[in-house]
Amino acid sequence: MMNPSKIKEGGVEYSIGKFNGKTMSYDFDRILIYLNAKGKLLFGKHFKICEEDYSILWKLTNYFIRDPENCAKHNIDPDKGLLLSGPVGCGKTSFMKLLKYIVPHRKPYVVMPCRNIVFGFNHIGHKIIEDYGNTQSFCFDDLGVEPMGRHYGKDCNVMGEILISRHELFLKAQIKTHATTNLNAQELEELYGIRVRSRMRQLFNLVAFDVNARDKRK
């Protein structure tokens, strides 16, 4: 039987809590130690979780471990996906790539840049929209800054169409969709329209970095 409290990385075993055979109790301090180590493996030796991000990481961690009390406290529904918003370079993509590793017993999602999806549409057309409307879980990275799709001279708001498909999938089969964005709610509505925006409210929990969060790439 898998013990979700123990995770091995590069020959080192990390404990992120205690498991009694039935229930798991997580330890946030231990999770931080593990995430710093895993982040260095994924993103290089200079990766470091900054103290200023602990509060948002606390919210995200509670979502991923499905802690009912703390999710309720932060108005997060663990059955919906995440829309993680914040300024350029604040760490949205890194966190979404990283956090799925604290729950290795759950089916992982694939992080996919929205611009790559649009480039795929430009080459092969509407099959791309079908491909992303399947039962795989995705995190659409950098939602809202992708170009308009164009195939055989016809324009298409590719990510808008995909979000409508993902909404149907969520209603039918409770399959989650996650996304990261630099845009606010008003900008997303202007880009995708009110129809898509209302579906996004059902699809996502909005979790936002502070608007003044610094660019960690600098």
Side-chain angles (χ1 to χ4, degrees), residues 92-108:
K92 301 180 297 294
T93 306
S94 300
F95 279 3
M96 289 306 290
K97 284 181 176 176
L98 192 53
L99 278 155
K100 60 184 178 179
Y101 291 101
I102 64 173
V103 282
H105 51 296
R106 298 221 178 96
K107 189 182 174 186

Side-chain angles (χ1 to χ4, degrees), residues 28 31-32 35 52-78 80-85 95-96 99 102 205-210:
F28 185 61
I31 288 172
L32 283 176
L35 289 175
E52 68 212 55
D53 293 332
Y54 284 4
S55 62
I56 195 161
L57 201 54
W58 167 252
K59 281 185 202 175
L60 294 170
T61 298
N62 282 304
Y63 168 81
F64 277 97
I65 66 174
R66 299 180 68 90
D67 181 305
E69 199 177 308
N70 282 307
C71 280
K73 203 181 285 182
H74 295 295
N75 202 23
I76 290 171
D77 180 348
K80 288 161 71 166
L82 282 175
L83 177 60
L84 186 56
S85 74
F95 279 3
M96 289 306 290
L99 278 155
I102 64 173
N205 294 286
L206 177 60
V207 178
F209 277 81
D210 188 285

Side-chain angles (χ1 to χ4, degrees), residues 90-185:
C90 66
K92 301 180 297 294
T93 306
S94 300
F95 279 3
M96 289 306 290
K97 284 181 176 176
L98 192 53
L99 278 155
K100 60 184 178 179
Y101 291 101
I102 64 173
V103 282
H105 51 296
R106 298 221 178 96
K107 189 182 174 186
Y109 51 83
V110 175
V111 178
M112 183 60 65
C114 293
R115 58 185 288 114
N116 292 15
I117 296 171
V118 174
F119 292 153
F121 174 87
N122 295 347
H123 284 292
I124 63 171
H126 281 80
K127 185 180 180 300
I128 279 285
I129 293 168
E130 289 168 29
D131 289 348
Y132 287 96
N134 67 19
T135 53
Q136 168 71 53
S137 283
F138 289 101
C139 174
F140 298 125
D141 192 32
D142 263 346
L143 183 69
V145 294
E146 74 281 354
M148 180 66 74
R150 193 169 179 82
H151 186 67
Y152 283 118
K154 288 189 176 176
D155 287 345
C156 177
N157 192 326
V158 178
M159 290 311 302
E161 293 298 325
I162 287 173
L163 287 170
I164 288 170
S165 297
R166 299 299 300 181
H167 178 256
E168 285 171 18
L169 203 57
F170 174 68
L171 294 181
K172 281 181 195 166
Q174 291 294 296
I175 291 165
K176 290 181 187 174
T177 303
H178 307 297
T180 71
T181 186
N182 303 333
L183 306 186
N184 61 35

